[in-house]
Amino acid sequence: MSKLFLGGVSPNTTEQTIRDVFNRFGEVSDAVVMRDRGFGFVTFRDQEGADKALREATQEIDGQRIDVKPAQGKGGGKGGGGGGGGKGDGGSRGPATDKVFVGGLPQDCSDDKIRDYFEQYGTIVDSVVMKDRETNRSRGFGFVQFDSPDPVDKVMDDYKNHKIEGKWVEVKRSVPRDQMPTPAPDNRGGGRDSRSGGGGGGGRRLVQFGIVSYSHAGLA
């Protein structure tokens, strides 16, 4: 089975809606919507369906622009890369980075709000809430960049405790793709692992649910 990460999902979107949208690419075996956190997952019965969906990597669902990416987490089960409800290391192992991905932001969260919250951990050089380019609505996630990797370690140490406007938000280390360590081309053939992170390789070191290629000007 092949699992895809869906970024920027509206809190109004249901799992049945996800199934209805993605069934045109192939048989959907599972759909998960993390409504409070702005993302979801869709799992196809076979790889062909996932490949077809990835060819149309931007979808519009319930008026929200959705990014479709491979879910490069721990594997095939439901929520297999979601990071748990505030449990786990939150991606604390991996390459040093000065940038943090912040997921599950409140819909009215501004750049200043995430800056005000995270500046307790260190000096911030940039912060951004990603917005839909057409509607200018928040897509439910953003990035914070510090002046060194040390504050990121402190942020990850408090993984279970981050709340903005009373809402728990999920933090992940954000490492540019070109700085990710190259996984060893051993099991299951080098071609697949080098492209997808191989579950236990680069993708797993970076994040647990496939946020590998998000970037924006000033934070890349």
Side-chain angles (χ1 to χ4, degrees):
M1 293 188 296
S2 296
K3 184 176 181 180
L4 302 179
F5 168 82
L6 310 176
V9 175
S10 166
N12 299 320
T13 297
T14 65
E15 294 174 357
Q16 186 59 50
T17 300
I18 296 295
R19 286 180 177 271
D20 292 343
V21 169
F22 286 92
N23 263 331
R24 63 192 175 97
F25 299 111
E27 184 180 355
V28 173
S29 61
D30 194 18
V32 179
V33 176
M34 312 297 286
R35 290 185 182 85
D36 293 336
R37 292 158 69 185
F39 64 87
F41 300 94
V42 61
T43 304
F44 289 91
R45 189 70 63 184
D46 54 45
Q47 183 65 38
E48 184 179 1
D51 290 342
K52 288 180 179 178
L54 286 170
R55 293 189 193 109
E56 298 184 28
T58 301
Q59 298 287 329
E60 184 169 325
I61 302 176
D62 291 334
Q64 192 98 333
R65 193 169 70 102
I66 307 299
D67 282 335
V68 183
K69 300 181 181 294
Q72 299 176 350
K74 296 179 180 179
K78 184 173 181 178
K87 184 178 180 181
D89 60 15
S92 60
R93 291 182 293 274
T97 178
D98 59 5
K99 185 169 61 176
V100 175
F101 166 87
V102 187
L105 292 171
Q107 279 295 308
D108 62 348
C109 187
S110 65
D111 297 353
D112 288 341
K113 284 181 182 178
I114 60 173
R115 177 183 288 269
D116 291 345
Y117 175 79
F118 284 101
E119 66 182 0
Q120 63 183 300
Y121 294 97
T123 302
I124 292 174
V125 298
D126 201 4
S127 62
V128 64
V129 174
M130 304 302 284
K131 296 181 179 180
D132 187 287
R133 68 184 66 182
E134 296 179 359
T135 66
N136 205 37
R137 292 175 56 190
S138 169
R139 297 176 60 199
F141 64 90
F143 297 90
V144 175
Q145 186 172 14
F146 294 94
D147 63 348
S148 72
D150 291 340
V152 175
D153 294 334
K154 297 176 184 177
V155 169
M156 301 313 302
D157 287 343
D158 283 347
Y159 175 76
K160 294 186 288 186
N161 303 318
H162 296 299
K163 289 187 177 181
I164 295 179
E165 296 184 342
K167 185 175 185 294
W168 182 75
V169 296
E170 185 161 20
V171 293
K172 299 284 181 184
R173 294 177 185 271
S174 180
V175 180
R177 187 184 291 272
D178 60 1
Q179 294 181 21
M180 291 173 60
T182 302
D186 46 7
N187 56 357
R188 292 185 294 188
R192 173 176 296 220
D193 282 351
S194 63
R195 184 181 71 248
S196 66
R204 186 174 178 182
R205 293 189 190 98
L206 177 59
V207 295
Q208 295 175 353
F209 51 79
I211 313 281
V212 220
S213 57
Y214 285 135
S215 63
H216 94 310
L219 284 176

